[in-house]
Amino acid sequence: MPLFFRKRKPSEDSKKRLEYQLCLSKEVGAGDILDISACELTEVPTSAFSICKVLQKKVFILHGNQLKSMVPKGCCINFLVTLKVLDLHENMLTALPDDIGQLASLQVLNIENNQIKALPDSIGNLRLLQTLNVKGNCLSQLPTSVGRMSSLRTLDLSENSVRELPRDLALARTLESLTLDAALMSYPPASVCTTGTEDIQRFLCTELGEEYCPSSQFLLPVLESDSGKQSPDDVDSLEGAWQSKFNDFEKRKEQKHQEKLAFERQLEQKQKEHHQLILMNNSHKENILLSVRQEQERLELGVSVQQRFQEVERQRILGKVRQAETGIANRINNLLLDNKRQRKSSEFLQQLEQDRIRMEHLTAITQEETNSLRKREVAVAMQKMLSESCSMRLMQEASDSRRQSLVSEACRSLESQDRKFDQVLSLQQLDKSKAIACILQEEEMQKAAFQALQLQKDSVHGYIQQQIRLIEGELMQLTKLEVKRHNLDAENLQEVLWEQRSALSDLLQQLLKEKDQREVELRQVLQEMELKSDSNQQNYWLIQYQRLLDAKPLLLRMQEVGVESDLVSLLCKLSAQHYLPIMAHHRVTSEALRHMTTKDLHKLGINEMGIQKALLNWAREQPTTPSEGACKADPQEEEAVPSPSSLPSAPSETPTSTPPLTPINPSAPSLIDGPGSSECVVCMETGVSRQTFRHSSYCILSPSHCVSLSQSQVIFLPCGHVCCCQMCSDALQTCPLCRSNIAQHLRLYHG
């Protein structure tokens, strides 16, 4: 079998037939049929698909070709959507397009005598298909989608490899004729298949569990005609109409024949004109070739004359070159001969001179040898005697030097050991002093850490610090409001702001004094602990630091065990750990908090409004326990719950209890910080870096020193104004806003 096949070209008659049929289908009145059968086609022309799409052909005949595919490249099956009859028998098709189900109007499909191995599932979408002829193919089974063909009347499966029919074929109720190889069938059995289409459909319906209905009950319109019965009175008129149509068809056929003859004559005339053009082109081509050949001969003649002239010139130049080469060779030979003669004469003279020198040397060596032998014997004897005396002297000197070196090495080793001993002693003294200094430094650091932790753990000191911060914030807000009042020229709030500021400044001075007093008390406690400490105990302050971290009074530890863990975590989130002793002392639980109000918490010593609201909201959100429900149901037990008024008051001031200070509630109205709300009234600047500098009667510093450090501001006491930065406040003696004397500067840090 050959590996490669040459693509067979269609004959001239086939080409003419194809062109004629395509031209005929484009003419007006050509009908709905496109017939390009027996044109030796291997693929469908794209022009045929375009004609079917544009002219909406209903019958497409392609039999008797060599087609291997139905749809050409660049085309779509949708071009044939108007077809009702598609004839593809006697071709070489191996498969149908997967989207053939889009031909919704197709009623007849003939694919007899092809090489198709399987039908696509989309063939079941051909609901109007009445005739399906797949005779003489390579089918082994039918798709189950054939049962969806609601109009199928005729099905030919003969000369295939189909041995079983799908059960869904029973759903094709309109099937009237089923042709197959009955003797080779296995399902339905051959005995059923030989009886006829009706028995096959009845068997399939039984297998499918459906009721069999004859195909005569399902009426379908016949292809291209009406299936209704005509009355006897209309038979004559119908025959007359058919006769007139037949006559028109004969006339149209004769007209088409005449047009075909005219087209053939025109085609023959065009072929003659084409032949004449070819003859004229050949004669013109021969004339051009003749002129080109003559021009080439002329050029070759000129080239040969030029080559002969160049050859003569080359021979003349070569003769001159040969003569010059012979002259040069003769001169070189003469020079080489002269050079050889001169070399031989010089070699002869050198040989004579060497013979003379050798003879003189032989005559002088005999006298010298006798003298030298005598001198050599005397020198050997003297050298032997001198070497013996020298060896004796060297041995004595070596022994003396060895003795001196041993003595010196012993002295040096003693001196080095003394120096090392002194260095070790000095290093020990230095290490001892360093260790003492480190121990003292560590003790001071432990003491400082213990002092810092004592301040941090001290609830009184923490509470005073918190109150001081609140007062500082209130004074800052009042100062901002007063500056804004100056900008807006509002005079009605002056007295109110002055009274609030004076009250806050007095309270701030009082808190500062109490803070200093508390720090002095803590330092006294620290000094007493230092006096009582054992001088021999190591890391005393570190031990005290750890005890302060871990240990608490026994009574307080036992009381705090009774506080709920959720309540402890809530107070830690609110930064209100200093209220834990109060909660533990009064045995406050979530159930008791649920019945309290803000006044009751105030009586207990919890003064901050935010903490009071947070505790009450947390108590309301806690789930109700069964015991509480029982208490609500029993009024006698409800009376047993202690009311907030009956609880004991807060304990007196102790190092671990909250001091009896008046709570500070925010009184100044809040301000929305805008541009210039936190600026210094002296240098008129805000932020961390100064961009501009404005001169003022109160600022005596240069612009380079007017820089805000860590965004800090200063409170002036006793007036309580917060209106200056740190650098500007150092040079002020009176308040820039109220002109009162400044007794104390208090810095505020916002970082």
Side-chain angles (χ1 to χ4, degrees):
M1 182 177 179
L3 294 175
F4 302 99
F5 295 93
R6 294 187 61 185
K7 188 176 181 182
R8 184 178 177 183
K9 295 183 179 180
S11 62
E12 294 294 332
D13 295 338
S14 300
K15 289 182 179 179
K16 290 179 182 179
R17 173 176 170 76
L18 178 63
E19 292 177 359
Y20 174 73
Q21 292 294 341
L22 292 176
C23 292
L24 185 64
S25 63
K26 295 178 183 178
E27 294 181 356
V28 179
D32 298 333
I33 301 173
L34 176 58
D35 186 3
I36 55 175
S37 60
C39 293
E40 299 180 7
L41 298 174
T42 57
E43 62 180 7
V44 183
T46 57
S47 58
F49 268 67
S50 301
I51 290 171
C52 290
K53 180 181 180 182
V54 175
L55 301 180
Q56 296 185 352
K57 299 292 183 180
K58 296 182 179 179
V59 179
F60 194 13
I61 300 174
L62 290 164
H63 67 81
N65 289 291
Q66 299 175 4
L67 299 176
K68 295 183 179 180
S69 63
M70 178 180 166
V71 181
K73 295 180 180 179
C75 295
C76 182
I77 196 69
N78 291 330
F79 289 6
L80 310 177
V81 72
T82 60
L83 289 182
K84 292 185 177 180
V85 178
L86 179 59
D87 189 359
L88 294 167
H89 75 278
E90 294 183 1
N91 280 286
M92 300 173 67
L93 296 174
T94 58
L96 292 176
D98 293 336
D99 51 354
I100 195 171
Q102 297 182 10
L103 304 180
S105 302
L106 193 63
Q107 297 180 6
V108 176
L109 178 60
N110 187 2
I111 53 176
E112 180 183 353
N113 291 332
N114 280 280
Q115 300 175 8
I116 297 175
K117 297 179 180 179
L119 295 176
D121 292 337
S122 62
I123 200 170
N125 297 330
L126 303 176
R127 302 300 177 88
L128 300 180
L129 189 67
Q130 299 182 16
T131 301
L132 177 59
N133 187 1
V134 293
K135 179 181 178 181
N137 283 280
C138 303
L139 296 176
S140 59
Q141 62 180 359
L142 285 178
T144 57
S145 59
V146 295
R148 300 202 302 267
M149 296 181 181
S150 58
S151 303
L152 186 63
R153 287 185 171 184
T154 303
L155 177 61
D156 191 351
L157 298 173
S158 60
E159 298 181 13
N160 281 283
S161 301
V162 177
R163 299 293 179 263
E164 295 181 358
L165 294 178
R167 294 181 181 179
D168 294 338
L169 186 61
L171 300 177
R173 301 290 189 179
T174 59
L175 186 62
E176 297 175 350
S177 174
L178 176 60
T179 305
L180 44 78
D181 299 330
L184 302 176
M185 294 297 295
S186 61
Y187 183 84
S191 58
V192 177
C193 294
T194 54
T195 56
T197 305
E198 184 176 353
D199 292 338
I200 293 173
Q201 288 291 90
R202 194 185 303 278
F203 175 82
L204 293 176
C205 288
T206 304
E207 292 291 324
L208 194 62
E210 296 286 339
E211 183 181 358
Y212 172 73
C213 295
S215 60
S216 58
Q217 297 182 7
F218 298 91
L219 299 178
L220 290 174
V222 182
L223 177 64
E224 299 292 334
S225 65
D226 213 2
S227 62
K229 294 183 179 180
Q230 297 178 353
S231 62
D233 298 335
D234 297 335
V235 173
D236 296 334
S237 61
L238 182 61
E239 289 180 356
W242 275 107
Q243 187 66 31
S244 62
K245 286 183 180 181
F246 183 75
N247 293 332
D248 292 340
F249 176 73
E250 289 294 331
K251 291 179 182 179
R252 191 162 59 251
K253 182 177 180 181
E254 185 66 25
Q255 183 180 359
K256 295 297 181 182
H257 183 67
Q258 295 296 331
E259 290 177 355
K260 179 180 179 182
L261 294 176
F263 176 75
E264 289 179 352
R265 286 193 296 270
Q266 184 178 2
L267 183 62
E268 185 177 359
Q269 184 179 0
K270 287 183 179 180
Q271 288 179 353
K272 289 180 180 179
E273 292 177 356
H274 181 66
H275 184 65
Q276 291 177 358
L277 289 174
I278 290 173
L279 292 176
M280 291 173 63
N281 189 16
N282 290 334
S283 62
H284 182 63
K285 186 186 296 182
E286 289 177 357
N287 293 331
I288 292 173
L289 289 174
L290 182 60
S291 61
V292 169
R293 192 180 297 110
Q294 291 176 356
E295 182 68 23
Q296 187 175 3
E297 290 176 356
R298 186 179 61 81
L299 290 174
E300 287 178 354
L301 181 60
V303 169
S304 62
V305 172
Q306 182 68 21
Q307 286 179 352
R308 284 195 296 272
F309 175 74
Q310 289 180 354
E311 183 67 23
V312 172
E313 185 69 23
R314 188 174 67 83
Q315 293 295 334
R316 185 176 61 81
I317 292 171
L318 286 176
K320 290 182 179 181
V321 170
R322 289 193 192 97
Q323 292 177 3
E325 286 179 352
T326 54
I328 292 170
N330 293 331
R331 292 190 189 93
I332 290 171
N333 290 330
N334 293 332
L335 290 173
L336 290 175
L337 291 173
D338 294 340
N339 191 13
K340 189 179 294 183
R341 293 192 194 100
Q342 290 178 3
R343 191 181 299 112
K344 287 182 179 180
S345 62
S346 62
E347 289 177 356
F348 182 71
L349 291 174
Q350 288 178 1
Q351 188 175 2
L352 290 175
E353 183 67 23
Q354 289 177 0
D355 292 340
R356 186 184 62 80
I357 292 171
R358 188 170 59 256
M359 290 301 293
E360 290 179 355
H361 181 68
L362 290 173
T363 55
I365 197 170
T366 57
Q367 185 67 29
E368 289 179 357
E369 282 180 352
T370 56
N371 296 331
S372 63
L373 287 173
R374 190 180 294 110
K375 289 179 180 178
R376 193 178 302 160
E377 290 175 355
V378 174
V380 169
M382 291 176 65
Q383 186 176 3
K384 186 177 181 180
M385 186 181 63
L386 289 173
S387 61
E388 289 177 356
S389 62
C390 184
S391 62
M392 292 297 293
R393 188 173 62 253
L394 289 175
M395 289 174 64
Q396 187 177 1
E397 289 177 357
S399 63
D400 295 337
S401 61
R402 192 179 299 112
R403 188 184 300 110
Q404 292 294 331
S405 62
L406 290 174
V407 174
S408 60
E409 285 178 1
C411 294
R412 282 196 300 271
S413 63
L414 291 174
E415 291 177 357
S416 62
Q417 289 178 0
D418 293 337
R419 284 195 299 271
K420 289 180 180 179
F421 185 74
D422 295 335
Q423 289 178 0
V424 169
L425 289 177
S426 60
L427 289 174
Q428 287 181 355
Q429 293 293 334
L430 182 61
D431 292 339
K432 184 177 180 180
S433 59
K434 286 183 179 179
I436 293 171
C438 291
I439 291 170
L440 294 176
Q441 185 177 2
E442 288 177 359
E443 187 175 359
E444 291 295 328
M445 290 173 64
Q446 293 173 5
K447 181 178 178 181
F450 178 79
Q451 185 176 1
L453 182 63
Q454 189 180 24
L455 286 175
Q456 183 180 358
K457 291 290 185 177
D458 188 70
S459 59
V460 177
H461 188 272
Y463 183 81
I464 292 172
Q465 286 278 38
Q466 185 179 4
Q467 295 296 323
I468 288 173
R469 284 195 293 271
L470 290 174
I471 293 172
E472 288 173 351
E474 290 296 315
L475 287 174
M476 186 181 295
Q477 293 292 333
L478 287 173
T479 304
K480 290 180 182 179
L481 185 61
E482 191 168 354
V483 172
K484 187 174 181 181
R485 180 187 61 77
H486 279 298
N487 295 333
L488 299 177
D489 294 331
E491 299 292 336
N492 52 355
L493 296 175
Q494 183 177 4
E495 294 181 0
V496 177
L497 293 176
W498 181 82
E499 291 175 358
Q500 291 181 358
R501 190 178 67 256
S502 61
L504 288 173
S505 60
D506 293 340
L507 187 56
L508 179 60
Q509 290 178 357
Q510 180 184 354
L511 288 173
L512 289 174
K513 291 178 181 178
E514 291 177 358
K515 177 185 174 183
D516 295 336
Q517 183 179 359
R518 186 62 182 176
E519 289 178 358
V520 169
E521 292 175 358
L522 292 176
R523 280 196 293 270
Q524 290 177 358
V525 172
L526 196 64
Q527 291 176 0
E528 292 175 0
M529 291 176 65
E530 188 175 3
L531 293 175
K532 294 178 182 180
S533 65
D534 188 6
S535 60
N536 295 327
Q537 185 179 2
Q538 295 180 355
N539 298 327
Y540 173 78
W541 291 112
L542 185 60
I543 295 171
Q544 296 301 325
Y545 183 90
Q546 188 65 32
R547 287 178 179 175
L548 185 60
L549 282 176
D550 299 334
K552 287 186 178 180
L554 180 61
L555 180 60
L556 181 59
R557 192 160 57 246
M558 295 301 293
Q559 290 176 350
E560 286 185 354
V561 170
V563 181
E564 297 178 4
S565 59
D566 294 340
L567 183 58
V568 173
S569 61
L570 177 63
L571 290 175
C572 293
K573 288 181 181 178
L574 297 174
S575 298
Q577 297 91 334
H578 54 278
Y579 290 129
L580 277 174
I582 297 176
M583 294 291 182
H585 179 76
H586 293 290
R587 308 287 184 179
V588 178
T589 62
S590 59
E591 183 179 354
L593 279 173
R594 195 176 291 112
H595 300 285
M596 288 185 179
T597 60
T598 55
K599 293 181 180 180
D600 299 329
L601 292 175
H602 185 71
K603 290 179 180 179
L604 292 178
I606 302 174
N607 301 319
E608 285 81 359
M609 294 295 295
I611 297 176
Q612 293 175 359
K613 292 180 179 179
L615 289 172
L616 294 177
N617 292 334
W618 174 81
R620 295 190 191 99
E621 291 174 358
Q622 294 300 313
T624 305
T625 59
S627 61
E628 184 180 354
C631 290
K632 289 182 179 180
D634 192 358
Q636 294 179 358
E637 294 181 0
E638 185 177 0
E639 292 177 359
V641 177
S643 62
S645 59
S646 64
L647 293 173
S649 59
S652 59
E653 180 180 353
T654 62
T656 57
S657 62
T658 305
L661 296 174
T662 305
I664 303 301
N665 297 322
S667 59
S670 62
L671 290 174
I672 299 174
D673 291 337
S677 61
S678 63
E679 64 183 6
C680 176
V681 298
V682 178
C683 58
M684 305 298 289
E685 291 295 332
T686 60
V688 177
S689 62
R690 303 297 187 181
Q691 299 177 354
T692 58
F693 176 77
R694 302 177 183 178
H695 293 284
S696 176
S697 60
Y698 296 99
C699 184
I700 62 173
L701 298 174
S702 62
S704 61
H705 292 84
C706 289
V707 180
S708 177
L709 300 174
S710 303
Q711 297 185 353
S712 63
Q713 291 182 335
V714 180
I715 300 177
F716 295 140
L717 296 177
C719 64
H721 280 123
V722 186
C723 60
C724 240
C725 63
Q726 175 63 24
M727 298 304 296
C728 295
S729 64
D730 293 337
L732 296 178
Q733 300 296 330
T734 59
C735 179
L737 292 181
C738 62
R739 297 297 190 274
S740 60
N741 292 328
I742 299 173
Q744 186 179 358
H745 297 75
L746 185 61
R747 286 184 62 178
L748 299 178
Y749 289 90
H750 303 280

